Amino acid sequence: DLASRVATKSFAIVFIGLIITTIASYLTLSNVDFLYMLLSTNMFTFLLVAELVVVFINSWAIRKNNLVLAGVLYLVYSVSNGITMSVVFLAYDLGTVQEAFLMSAVIFGAMAAFGYFTKKDLSTVGAVCGMALLGVLLVTLLNTFVFHSSGLELVMDYVVILLFVGITAYDMYRMKQAVLEGGEEEENRIALFTGMQLYLDFINIFLRLIRILGRSKK
């Protein structure tokens, strides 16, 4: 049916994004000169800011049904994210990264399946998790500049994982609702939007799991 087609396209978009991100990370780590420039200049900060801008423009392009621009921006974001994530990978051994990736894949897959197959209304889950993320952002900023608490940082990592577990399920539920409302003419737009959201969900779960596993092995 239409919902399963959109879901398949969405996961294909996530897979493509993750492959591009992995390649970008590998190439960055393999290029010592570029890696040095990334760490010794403002390039890393610039890329982080640029990623936020790309996400906002991507959402705008999807709303305007400019799928070509949205697709290009998604690819750009995947490359940029791979470059910035390479800095994270420097701090952890390959085993930790692989373990975090596998755990993330299992958690992400399970919650995406739940969101797709559940008959429950997950609208409230999405709203609550979205509001809670703003609270986490505020606490994280306070901890970064005021408290400097490693314990609070660890708690926030677990909280973020729980929130994105809920958001992953909600994004799949929202995809089904969008399909019911939009029909076949909205198929590609819904798939691209959902794919971008699911990619962000996976990356956030993955990065937090790396931090948690990395601490436990120190």
Side-chain angles (χ1 to χ4, degrees), residues 1-16:
D1 63 349
L2 181 57
S4 63
R5 284 210 313 269
V6 174
T8 299
K9 287 184 178 181
S10 298
F11 280 111
I13 289 168
V14 174
F15 181 74
I16 290 169

Side-chain angles (χ1 to χ4, degrees), residues 21-187:
T21 297
T22 301
I23 293 172
S25 291
Y26 174 77
L27 292 177
T28 302
L29 290 171
S30 301
N31 190 325
V32 177
D33 292 334
F34 182 76
L35 191 59
Y36 176 78
M37 182 175 66
L38 182 64
L39 294 171
S40 61
T41 66
N42 293 324
M43 184 178 179
F44 181 79
T45 303
F46 171 79
L47 286 175
L48 290 179
V49 174
E51 286 177 12
L52 291 175
V53 174
V54 168
V55 169
F56 284 118
I57 299 176
N58 179 275
S59 297
W60 173 83
I62 292 175
R63 285 198 301 273
K64 295 296 183 180
N65 210 29
N66 191 336
L67 302 188
V68 174
L69 176 60
V72 170
L73 289 173
Y74 176 65
L75 296 179
V76 169
Y77 183 87
S78 300
V79 172
S80 177
N81 199 37
I83 295 172
T84 54
M85 284 179 64
S86 65
V87 175
V88 176
F89 295 153
L90 283 175
Y92 304 100
D93 61 75
L94 182 61
T96 299
V97 174
Q98 291 175 335
E99 187 177 350
F101 184 87
L102 290 175
M103 290 178 65
S104 300
V106 171
I107 294 170
F108 174 81
M111 295 315 298
F114 173 77
Y116 183 82
F117 290 108
T118 187
K119 302 299 182 182
K120 297 180 179 179
D121 186 345
L122 300 182
S123 301
T124 303
V125 173
V128 170
C129 288
M131 291 175 61
L133 272 179
L134 294 177
V136 168
L137 177 61
L138 177 60
V139 172
T140 301
L141 289 173
L142 287 173
N143 192 47
T144 300
F145 297 107
V146 180
F147 303 130
H148 309 293
S149 169
S150 58
L152 182 57
E153 192 176 80
L154 178 60
V155 170
M156 287 298 101
D157 286 338
Y158 280 106
V159 170
V160 168
I161 289 175
L162 289 175
L163 291 179
F164 275 100
V165 161
I167 292 172
T168 299
Y170 169 69
D171 283 337
M172 286 302 293
Y173 167 81
R174 180 171 55 174
M175 181 275 292
K176 289 195 305 176
Q177 298 305 113
V179 166
L180 291 174
E181 296 171 4
E184 289 190 5
E185 61 271 16
E186 294 287 297
E187 180 178 341

